[in-house]
Amino acid sequence: QVRLVESGGGLVQPGGSLRLSCAASGRIFNINDMDWYRQVPGKERELVALITSGGTTNYADSVKGRFTVSRDNAKNMVYLQMNSPKPEDTAVYYCHAIIVSSTAKRYQYWGQGTQVTVSS
């Protein structure tokens, strides 16, 4: 009933910039937390950035000062602005959301992921 679709991934050079977008569609009453995770082969999926419905943000130490997460509640979208990416930022980035239904039930959803490759 709910789908998350990421976009904006691709190849970027170190020191460049990239903006990831995640659109939520379907039967949505309210979206609480929206997060960005990333994962590389052989590694655990890690939280990169989180933004609550009220706009409070949290970042992994490795991306603080370089990445910015934001959301547009009217459009049910969340963004991840990646400035000055480093090769170690290369990963598949996943959008994650906790969505509240009209009956106040909470569900979590994951996007398919989008590849971000930082290379010169």
Side-chain angles (χ1 to χ4, degrees):
Q1 293 184 342
V2 176
R3 183 176 64 164
L4 303 180
V5 180
E6 302 100 334
S7 62
L11 177 65
V12 62
Q13 293 184 324
S17 65
L18 201 65
R19 190 193 193 199
L20 305 183
S21 300
C22 175
S25 61
R27 296 182 179 274
I28 301 171
F29 179 73
N30 186 50
I31 303 177
N32 286 346
D33 294 353
M34 298 190 77
D35 321 306
W36 287 98
Y37 286 76
R38 68 186 181 188
Q39 187 171 28
V40 299
K43 300 290 185 179
E44 296 291 326
R45 186 173 298 186
E46 65 173 344
L47 177 66
V48 176
L50 177 152
I51 184 167
T52 69
S53 60
T56 300
T57 60
N58 188 47
Y59 299 92
D61 289 340
S62 60
V63 305
K64 286 182 179 178
R66 299 187 297 115
F67 292 5
T68 302
V69 63
S70 61
R71 64 191 291 169
D72 186 333
N73 292 330
K75 297 181 178 180
N76 290 329
M77 296 190 70
V78 62
Y79 309 92
L80 184 67
Q81 180 67 41
M82 304 171 62
N83 294 330
S84 300
K86 304 175 181 179
E88 53 262 41
D89 294 321
T90 296
V92 176
Y93 284 71
Y94 297 90
C95 178
H96 172 263
I98 297 175
I99 297 175
V100 180
S101 72
S102 60
T103 57
K105 295 181 179 179
R106 287 173 165 77
Y107 303 89
Q108 63 176 335
Y109 297 90
W110 290 92
Q112 287 292 105
T114 184
Q115 176 70 46
V116 173
T117 302
V118 184
S119 176
S120 58

